Amino acid sequence: MNFVECHEEPIHIPGYIQSFGYLIGIDAESHSITFFSRNITDIFRIENAEQLFEKSLMDFPEIFRPVIESDLYSSLKSFTKRENETHFDKVFLGEKEYHFSVFRSGKHIFLEFEMVLENRNKRISNKYDNFYVIDNEQELWDQLLGTLSKIVNYDRMMVYKFMMDGSGKVIAERRDDNMESYLGLHYPESDIPRQARALYLKKRKRIFSNVYDETVPLMSRSEENIDLTFVASRGMSPIHGQYIKNSGATSSFSISIIIDDHLWGLVTCQNSEFKHIDLEDRVQAGIFTALASNAYSSFKSKNELKYRLELNEKASQLKSEFLKHNNLFDSLADNKAKIRKLPESDGLAIISEGNIVTVGVVPDYDIIDSIAHWALENTSESIFVSRSFLKDYGQELKLDENAAGIIIYFIERSKKEMLIWFRKEFDEHINWAGNPEKKVEVFLQNGEEKQMVSPRTSFHIFTENIKGNSKRWNSRDIHAVQAVRDVILETSHKQYNAIKALNNELRKVNEELDSFSYTISHDLGTPLTVMKLNAQMLLANFEKTEKNKNKLTSIIEEIDSMAEMMHDVLQLSRAKHSEIELERLQPLNTIQKISENAKITFDTPKTVIVIKECPDVLADKTMLNQVFLNVINNAVKYTSHQDEPKVEIWGTVENETVVYRISDNGIGIPEQEKHKMFKIFNRMDNAKTFKGNGVGLSIVHRIMTRIGGNVDYTSNKEGTCFILTFKKP
């Protein structure tokens, strides 16, 4: 015997439907009949239902003529393109009129029928127009129930709201006078388990006309479990059927309340006797519920906007107060009363480097200190929230009732700086609709005995007292703490002054470095030239031994390298400080000239340089030449050792930018080098055998930043592609 938890029960594939419905399933591609409910012989003149399998409705024109001739069936292909979108029609079968519904789910198209019922008691007023002018939550749901009662009118009608822990609470009710009130009662999560809530989000109206009625099995030659999620007459689970019986009801009807695409709650209706609601009335009830849901969402959004504006104003005032002080601790201490009230708390503790300042109702200092130590060792997030702190850690930390709920914001963990908001223990009691304890019983499901959690047999009020909790912290409390955090980050004088001082020092150092780089690049040029000329004269006139010749040649090469490095440093300095003039430029000629010269410079006549589309860019003429010079020279240089060196250059217009790519099949760039590619004097390990000083890409990066562009690259063992992004002219 299998044990099945409530949330494991496969309620979407019961294998049967309720007796008010009649169901035919056809293959979405071939339109051949694959399954049907046994009771379709009650509305269609069929002597042998088995003959329907693998046949089309069109093969039985006399039997299914009203369906075949309906507009809905004739447009079946166009109506069933989107899954789970239901379309409605009416057809006469014999002398009786039936609702005819069609939708597609998976590989099946469902044709569902139910008799049209006349509702002589239906009375609709224009009160639903008032949903959007109601500014009270309770009044809104009460009016919804009043409106629905004129359409469906069950003995008991309730608005059931899902709580954060999955349980539910009745927040509005309309009932017969002789019935016990369920208003304010809670229901455990197991009453509507996870998979049931998931179905309510998909199929938003659910009716059980008679829980005592016999179900109608589906007939199919396939062993496949047919998904009846979107079938209006889908049969109920035995557990839910027993639950309704235990509640004293015979019929039920539910409509989902969807807020922001989440299942917020249900309109739940119960009737002591058999009751079936016409399909049109159920649809209309769903429309009114959607109107009320949208009105509630709008009402909540307006209130939330109003709260956020008020919170922003309070945060702005707090920021002004903070700026009057020279350090953070004084700012916090002098404004502790305001900070305590931003989230609704009973007390606040400010902790900084061993100092504790409090306001309001808080625990003793030694308890606050132990909470701070616990938080530093056991939490990692910047904001920690708990409403059950006393319940969870009361014995371990020797807490008292003033620390039942806490919010901790860590300002700086390393210095043990934090804010702790406290809430006192809340004497909480929950009135349940019956004892929520679970009992296991044996149920028969699809001919197999299974142990399942039994629904409650009593719905009399059961009161549960809960200790160790505070009132629940809500989203507004969290937003308030985040507002305090933002004020601290914006006005922390310690951080601000340190950053300001550091920036000033860095600015001075940068100015000195730029001045120094310009000086050495310019002033050392002449002595280097003299040194090179003297070395060349010595080489021409010196004793022509191979050893002396090599030494002089080495001196000349090192002088050239030093001159090139100083030239590049000068270019880097100019890239930062020289005036720029952005204009529309055509790079093609520049690219062609640089490409030809690069092959000569690096003596690589066999290098293939492919230049494709070259759209105009917005750039400075001199700087554009410098960018392409460095990138193309690199591409040619680092492919020069390849057997078939190749460089490709092309540009594309992408939205408001022009992107140039210079791709090569050279040595590639190791992944571990990526973080320092654009730093000055950086040389890759695999580039040591190539001549260079590591300044070129720094120049490119600085220029692209100055002209409002960007430089990036992709690389692997097969080569590198540099990506230059310019503004579109």
Side-chain angles (χ1 to χ4, degrees), residues 14-60:
Y16 51 82
I17 64 171
Q18 299 175 67
S19 61
F20 72 82
Y22 308 87
L23 189 64
I24 298 175
I26 64 177
D27 183 87
E29 298 298 327
S30 66
H31 287 188
S32 60
I33 299 171
T34 58
F35 63 86
F36 51 82
S37 60
R38 181 183 288 171
N39 62 353
I40 64 167
T41 56
D42 296 344
I43 60 173
F44 296 106
R45 297 191 306 276
I46 304 171
E47 295 181 3
N48 179 17
E50 291 285 329
Q51 66 180 317
L52 298 178
F53 287 121
E54 308 307 325
K55 299 290 182 64
S56 167
L57 268 63
M58 303 293 289
D59 294 330
F60 305 94

Side-chain angles (χ1 to χ4, degrees), residues 675-703:
H675 67 285
K676 54 183 181 180
M677 271 307 297
F678 299 107
K679 292 183 178 180
I680 190 170
F681 301 131
N682 174 60
R683 299 294 315 280
M684 297 179 298
D685 290 338
N686 63 342
K688 300 298 185 183
T689 58
F690 294 84
K691 186 179 179 182
N693 51 49
V695 181
L697 289 179
S698 297
I699 295 173
V700 171
H701 184 268
R702 181 168 289 182
I703 288 175

